[in-house]
Amino acid sequence: MKVDKIKKAISELTPSEELSERIMDMAASYEKSAVITEQPIRTVRPGRMLKLAAIAAALVILMAVSVYGIVNRLFYLPGAGLVDEDGMLVIREDDIGDLDITAYKTPEEYELGGFVIESVTYTEYNGLASFTIWSHMGDELMASYQKDSYGNPKVTVADHVIEDLKIILPDGSSLAPESVRSSSSGSIVYNFAAEKLNTKLTLVSEGLGAELKVELGLVEDVGYSYMEYPTDKGITLIMSPANEEFSEFSVDFIDNTISDGFAEYISESALSFNTAGVLLYDSNNKRIPWSSFHGGTKDRGVNISIAQTPSDNGYDIKKASANRLIINYFLQNTNHGDPDVLLDIPADGEYICKEIEIFTGAGFDAKITGYSREGNQLKIYANGFQPDKNDFSIRFNYIGIPYNGSNGCTSAYVFYTLSLKDADYFSIGNEWVQAQDGSLCRTFDFSKMPEGGLDSVEQFYLSASAIACIFEGNWTVNY
Amino acid sequence: MAENDIIKRRHETVERMLPTVWRLCVMRLAGAESSNIEDAVQEVFLRWLESGRHFDSAEHEKAWFIRVACNVCTDIYRDRSRRAAIPLEECEYLMGSNTAEDAASEHEIIREVLALPTAYRDVIYLYCVEGYDTNEIAGILGRKPNTVRRELARGRKKLQAKLKGEEK
């Protein structure tokens, strides 16, 4: 698919005359001094920030406790911290940020699963700028010419356009760029249109001096390398060396067309990774310590950086393996939104017995079977309305979330949030709840209560804000 | 600056940026009621007017409008009642202005682009139409360049497969 065809098609989309006129009128009549400027809608509202922070903190706990294999015995209690089954405080919430999850032990060796990975071929150009072949895009080869940041500032990007650049294909034929575009960021992109460029190429130009030999490492005709886990379940684990100067691995997701719908629930702040489960090896099969971990998002992936050491000059890592991934499917901001239901606040002491579906998708079936109120506490129940039976376990037991396991999770959690309608954003209670069967009950306390307590509120939202899955397995990437 | 000059400059900015903002909002909100897309476009320009912003360069101006348009569309997208509800074939605003023979194939391209996941759509639009390179797109969208490159490659591959009828 040629760039020009896409550009031509999309450029046909034009706003209506009426809209143009309206905006022109608005621009003409707008007077800043005469307008009371409304507070712009913030992308991240305070309430959402609070939820995000709570989810992030809870995820740290999940990651930590799962390494120990004690996920069934510790619980995150908003406002308190990490508590055990008896409600005893194990770690104060204020201390959660200090948890050093990397200190936990992990098995030293894993069996090889074996997949090839290769991402980018780099070629240095010894001049003011570096010449980078970074990718093979469908039927085009993209070559980027980066201005050296230490180069002469008077040298413009345009000065670096290689007018006579050509690629020589193995059969001897040559291709000139179909188009050359320079950009203000200091790169020049050459588009070479060809059906198959998954091969060894030679770039030639008098300006370049020596011929540049470029080998495009291609796997399955895709142009980049990756491993998929599980290949038919809609989630793809990519571990790729992403930078030649320091080794960096990323874990990304692909929304596979044959997906069971899992990946579409991942949103931009949705990803966590149990770093203790990632092991890196050099060409002698010796472990290489990594030095830092950058929390991930769907867009940015998870990155693990490795310090520059003699054993790791950026090229020496030959194998990476992982045994555990914890992925938080943050349901807000995805196509599916923040699944919620609006319910009436029961009278004090009232029990409402009613099956209500909160979220169904990606193999989850999160539903409640009733809810009740005691004073300023709300409780929700699942898998049977048996409040008497569950009185002993009000705070620390689970809401059952039948899970069919089709997406490879070995265990799963749902982050439920209760928020009071028409109250401010701080009237939020939330809980991570482990997915499992059983007759269960969960109590939600609110971080801030309206002055008149629950009596002053008529309705509340129950939403599934996030789902966390723990994937376990042996993934190994060789390259 | 005289009032007429201010209005003239504003009109020039609207003329320059309206097509870009419109297309980006369509890309982001395709399938929504046209009134929602128009709301988004107006909101972008309202934010610009409210900000009283002057730009150092055309690149800065364009990048600002694109970033704000993305934010506004995200806000609208969060409101479920304003999300895509109309089949793409029935969206009048996707018909384009081309009435020539190749219009059908162009509509097909538009439809298939809009059927891609949002992340791919953004990248393809900014790359193919607005002419940004992947490093710039990464900066605008707050993603990693490598991620953008992958999305671009996969998006185009998907698009190509669909348009060739190869995808199963």
Side-chain angles (χ1 to χ4, degrees):
Chain A
M1 173 56 58
K2 305 280 170 51
V3 169
D4 289 347
K5 279 180 80 173
I6 299 172
K7 180 175 181 176
K8 186 166 181 294
I10 296 177
S11 296
E12 287 295 321
L13 298 172
T14 50
S16 66
E17 285 292 323
E18 293 79 14
L19 178 66
S20 301
E21 284 172 15
R22 276 209 303 277
I23 292 177
M24 285 292 189
D25 289 346
M26 184 169 76
S29 59
Y30 185 87
E31 286 187 48
K32 194 172 177 59
S33 59
V35 172
I36 298 169
T37 305
E38 290 181 15
Q39 182 71 21
I41 299 167
R42 279 182 286 183
T43 305
V44 180
R45 292 171 295 188
R48 181 165 290 135
M49 284 290 285
L50 190 69
K51 282 196 213 173
L52 285 171
I55 290 171
L59 268 172
V60 171
I61 297 301
L62 273 178
M63 293 161 72
V65 298
S66 64
V67 173
Y68 271 134
I70 53 176
V71 287
N72 293 332
R73 289 189 282 117
L74 291 180
F75 302 91
Y76 172 62
L77 181 64
L82 200 63
V83 296
D84 65 16
E85 281 180 301
D86 299 318
M88 294 297 291
L89 191 62
V90 178
I91 302 173
R92 290 187 313 131
E93 189 172 52
D94 290 347
D95 295 333
I96 286 174
D98 298 323
L99 273 179
D100 179 8
I101 60 167
T102 64
Y104 294 114
K105 291 181 179 176
T106 185
E108 286 295 308
E109 298 293 336
Y110 297 92
E111 290 299 316
L112 301 186
F115 284 90
V116 176
I117 188 160
E118 192 277 328
S119 181
V120 182
T121 302
Y122 293 90
T123 309
E124 287 288 324
Y125 166 56
N126 187 20
L128 275 176
S130 64
F131 193 87
T132 304
I133 307 296
W134 52 255
S135 196
H136 163 247
M137 297 286 174
D139 59 357
E140 295 177 351
L141 173 69
M142 311 304 299
S144 180
Y145 191 67
Q146 295 270 344
K147 203 163 80 169
D148 189 331
S149 59
Y150 298 106
N152 185 342
K154 291 182 180 173
V155 176
T156 66
V157 174
D159 292 334
H160 290 295
V161 171
I162 305 172
E163 303 284 356
D164 61 344
L165 185 68
K166 282 191 246 178
I167 59 173
I168 308 294
L169 297 169
D171 65 4
S173 60
S174 67
L175 278 176
E178 185 191 51
S179 66
V180 179
R181 295 183 299 130
S182 62
S183 70
S184 56
S185 70
S187 66
I188 301 168
V189 178
Y190 303 82
N191 291 40
F192 293 92
E195 285 304 314
K196 294 284 182 186
L197 287 173
N198 52 335
T199 182
K200 291 182 181 178
L201 303 170
T202 304
L203 289 165
V204 293
S205 156
E206 288 187 10
L208 274 178
E211 291 181 344
L212 281 174
K213 305 281 185 191
V214 179
E215 184 169 352
L216 299 176
L218 205 67
V219 176
E220 294 173 354
D221 200 26
V222 180
Y224 45 86
S225 303
Y226 58 95
M227 56 184 280
E228 293 193 351
Y229 171 80
T231 52
D232 59 347
K233 299 300 181 190
I235 181 171
T236 299
L237 169 66
I238 298 177
M239 300 180 74
S240 56
N243 192 303
E244 65 170 351
E245 293 173 354
F246 59 95
S247 298
E248 185 179 75
F249 291 79
S250 59
V251 179
D252 285 351
F253 294 90
I254 298 177
D255 190 1
N256 289 342
T257 53
I258 48 174
S259 165
D260 63 356
F262 212 28
E264 63 186 300
Y265 291 93
I266 306 170
S267 73
E268 291 189 2
S269 48
L271 185 63
S272 68
F273 193 93
N274 185 339
T275 53
V278 179
L279 305 173
L280 304 170
Y281 300 87
D282 67 11
S283 53
N284 297 316
N285 217 28
K286 183 184 168 190
R287 282 277 305 280
I288 298 171
W290 48 267
S291 59
S292 67
F293 165 71
H294 308 291
T297 68
K298 180 184 179 183
D299 279 342
R300 294 170 191 171
V302 172
N303 297 309
I304 299 164
S305 299
I306 299 139
Q308 295 260 19
T309 67
S311 66
D312 168 32
N313 59 10
Y315 294 101
D316 202 26
I317 296 174
K318 296 297 180 191
K319 185 173 78 179
S321 71
N323 70 328
R324 187 191 297 265
L325 268 172
I326 299 175
I327 298 160
N328 174 13
Y329 298 82
F330 194 26
L331 299 173
Q332 289 178 320
N333 307 343
T334 65
N335 290 347
H336 302 271
D338 191 358
D340 58 24
V341 290
L342 183 62
L343 302 170
D344 292 336
I345 299 270
D348 195 2
E350 184 184 8
Y351 296 91
I352 308 292
C353 182
K354 184 179 181 185
E355 184 168 290
I356 301 166
E357 190 174 85
I358 308 297
F359 168 68
T360 301
F364 289 91
D365 182 15
K367 59 177 73 170
I368 66 167
T369 53
Y371 57 101
S372 69
R373 175 187 162 194
E374 285 182 10
N376 278 337
Q377 285 188 325
L378 288 173
K379 298 176 184 178
I380 58 175
Y381 304 87
N383 291 349
F385 179 58
Q386 298 173 302
D388 292 339
K389 185 177 177 183
N390 288 290
D391 275 351
F392 72 96
S393 59
I394 281 173
R395 194 178 293 278
F396 303 118
N397 274 350
Y398 319 112
I399 294 168
I401 301 146
Y403 169 61
N404 66 19
S406 68
N407 52 27
C409 278
T410 52
S411 54
Y413 298 75
V414 170
F415 193 76
Y416 276 113
T417 299
L418 293 186
S419 52
L420 302 180
K421 187 168 186 270
D422 299 327
D424 65 44
Y425 278 116
F426 297 99
S427 300
I428 287 172
N430 36 40
E431 296 271 356
W432 274 109
V433 177
Q434 191 184 15
Q436 70 169 50
D437 294 328
S439 297
L440 305 160
C441 165
R442 194 84 167 178
T443 297
F444 289 79
D445 292 314
F446 291 86
S447 54
K448 183 183 170 188
M449 186 58 70
E451 208 166 290
L454 288 184
D455 287 333
S456 65
V457 185
E458 291 187 351
Q459 291 179 302
F460 69 100
Y461 288 100
L462 171 64
S463 61
S465 299
I467 290 174
C469 283
I470 297 177
F471 293 84
E472 288 179 318
N474 293 316
W475 306 297
T476 299
V477 178
N478 292 303
Y479 71 99
Chain B
M1 191 181 293
E3 191 177 343
N4 282 347
D5 289 339
I6 293 172
I7 292 172
K8 187 179 169 214
R9 283 181 62 172
R10 285 180 186 168
H11 280 175
E12 286 168 356
T13 301
V14 172
E15 276 176 8
R16 269 196 309 273
M17 295 315 308
L18 181 56
T20 295
V21 172
W22 169 260
R23 287 192 289 259
L24 192 57
C25 291
V26 169
M27 286 287 125
R28 281 252 164 160
L29 299 171
E33 296 282 354
S34 63
S35 60
N36 287 329
I37 296 176
E38 292 185 359
D39 282 353
V41 173
Q42 289 188 89
E43 174 70 19
V44 171
F45 283 95
L46 186 61
R47 289 190 189 188
W48 163 62
L49 291 168
E50 286 180 340
S51 73
R53 195 174 276 271
H54 298 288
F55 301 99
D56 304 334
S57 62
E59 287 81 15
H60 183 203
E61 175 186 78
K62 193 171 169 185
W64 187 90
F65 272 95
I66 287 173
R67 186 62 255 173
V68 172
C70 287
N71 290 343
V72 168
C73 290
T74 301
D75 287 341
I76 286 182
Y77 193 74
R78 284 183 182 135
D79 182 349
R80 267 178 275 177
S81 64
R82 304 175 79 182
R83 281 187 194 163
I86 309 172
L88 293 178
E89 306 79 53
E90 295 173 20
C91 293
E92 286 178 14
Y93 50 83
L94 296 181
M95 293 301 120
S97 56
N98 190 354
T99 54
E101 282 182 6
D102 56 357
S105 70
E106 288 181 357
H107 291 164
E108 192 185 353
I109 291 173
I110 291 170
R111 211 168 48 243
E112 293 302 347
V113 168
L114 293 174
L116 293 170
T118 311
Y120 295 172
R121 252 186 270 162
D122 289 346
V123 171
I124 283 180
Y125 173 73
L126 292 173
Y127 181 83
C128 297
V129 182
E130 297 300 338
Y132 287 111
D133 69 24
T134 51
N135 291 326
E136 290 169 320
I137 295 170
I140 290 170
L141 297 179
R143 298 175 195 165
K144 280 176 57 178
N146 270 357
T147 305
V148 169
R149 286 165 198 153
R150 284 195 201 102
E151 286 168 347
L152 182 59
R154 291 166 193 160
R156 293 180 67 185
K157 190 175 176 65
K158 274 190 170 191
L159 198 56
Q160 188 171 32
K162 281 184 177 178
L163 291 170
K164 285 183 178 175
E166 291 172 359
E167 196 157 83
K168 291 171 187 174

